[in-house]
Amino acid sequence: KHKNGEIHYFETSGVPVYNHVGKLSGYRGVSRDITKRYLAERELHKLSMVVQQSPNTVIITNLEGKMEYINPAGCALSGYTSDELTGMNPSIFSSGSTPPETYKVLWKTLKSGNEWKGIFHNKKKTGELYWESAFIVPLRDKEGNITNYLGVKEDITTKLQSETALIESEERYRQLFESSPDAIILADAETGMLIDANTAACVMLGRPLDELKQFHQTMLHPPTKKEIVSEMFHNHV
């Protein structure tokens, strides 16, 4: 601890000192202040742990695109070990489904010193296919020269499957909605304005959908019933 209260770190080596008759008379040591190095190493270790424990795949390649590092999440997702992937090109993950043009644009972008974002359709060691969103950037040294490329990738397979299932569900709903022989009309629960109507409803009312969307639900009923219908609607809501 320094006089001003700061903590310093020292690397120290010492040896015993003996007098002329061989009796231990003390110790002689040399200490070197390594505070900057120690703090830098500690910070580096912290950043290393962030990468190691990241749930997303982190890959570092050399300028030829050969992998020099892949974190545990990347190994777990792909099914390969770190030893199997080190020195290999990320194309080992390719399923053949990603258009060649994607890779051309990727490398052109990176070699020009810019970041690249995109989606890959990749293949695990087992042959199972999966989707990844990727963010790849050039890494530079102190002089600004590109030394490596860093890729951070997220498995979005489940997300895409959910979105696809939602689209399919909406499509099935739309087909049932439109094919129903009965008139179906949807109104906003807060405003009472019409927001949708199927073909049967449009035919029954003799109005196109765009026109019906300008109507309040009470406008579908005779003026003498408007007050009752409005009260029923608000009581239901």
Side-chain angles (χ1 to χ4, degrees):
K1 187 176 183 179
H2 194 275
K3 182 179 179 180
N4 62 13
E6 293 180 353
I7 299 298
H8 286 249
Y9 297 89
F10 290 85
E11 186 176 69
T12 304
S13 62
V15 294
V17 177
Y18 301 91
N19 61 17
H20 65 284
V21 295
K23 183 179 179 180
L24 181 66
S25 60
Y27 299 93
R28 180 173 61 245
V30 178
S31 293
R32 179 173 55 172
D33 188 344
I34 60 166
T35 304
K36 289 184 178 180
R37 190 187 80 188
Y38 175 81
L39 294 178
E41 289 177 349
R42 192 166 69 175
E43 189 66 20
L44 183 61
H45 176 73
K46 187 190 302 181
L47 294 175
S48 175
M49 287 299 97
V50 171
V51 173
Q52 283 285 99
Q53 298 174 21
S54 171
N56 294 329
T57 296
V58 178
I59 294 176
I60 297 177
T61 75
N62 61 19
L63 297 182
E64 287 71 47
K66 293 183 179 180
M67 288 181 277
E68 295 182 349
Y69 172 82
I70 181 166
N71 69 340
C75 292
L77 176 62
S78 67
Y80 292 95
T81 66
S82 177
D83 289 341
E84 289 177 312
L85 294 174
T86 301
M88 300 296 292
N89 191 286
S91 60
I92 190 175
F93 305 126
S94 177
S95 66
S97 301
T98 302
E101 186 61 29
T102 298
Y103 298 109
K104 292 180 181 179
V105 173
L106 184 160
W107 282 111
K108 182 178 180 180
T109 302
L110 293 179
K111 289 181 177 180
S112 64
N114 298 313
E115 63 185 40
W116 181 89
K117 295 179 181 178
I119 294 178
F120 295 123
H121 194 198
N122 286 337
K123 182 171 63 175
K124 300 182 182 182
K125 185 178 181 180
T126 60
E128 180 184 352
L129 300 179
Y130 64 103
W131 293 89
E132 284 185 313
S133 65
F135 175 66
I136 306 175
V137 296
L139 297 181
R140 302 176 184 271
D141 59 20
K142 292 181 179 180
E143 287 70 41
N145 300 312
I146 298 175
T147 59
N148 297 87
Y149 298 113
L150 168 67
V152 180
K153 302 190 294 181
E154 179 186 4
D155 181 4
I156 58 172
T157 307
T158 301
K159 178 182 178 181
L160 290 182
Q161 289 174 341
S162 298
E163 291 177 352
T164 300
L166 179 60
I167 292 173
E168 291 175 350
S169 177
E170 290 177 343
E171 182 60 28
R172 286 195 296 271
Y173 158 77
R174 173 56 60 179
Q175 291 176 357
L176 291 172
F177 182 77
E178 287 297 336
S179 62
S180 174
D182 298 319
I184 303 175
I185 300 173
L186 302 180
D188 185 275
E190 294 184 4
T191 65
M193 296 298 295
L194 303 189
I195 57 177
D196 205 354
N198 67 349
T199 302
C202 294
V203 172
M204 181 185 73
L205 296 172
R207 300 177 184 275
L209 179 60
D210 288 344
E211 185 177 338
L212 287 177
K213 284 184 176 181
Q214 306 301 316
F215 281 31
H216 188 274
Q217 59 90 24
T218 56
M219 296 172 66
L220 299 177
H221 304 276
T224 55
K225 303 291 184 179
K226 189 172 183 178
E227 185 175 339
I228 297 175
V229 171
S230 179
E231 183 179 350
M232 290 174 60
F233 175 80
H234 290 295
N235 286 341
H236 176 69
V237 174

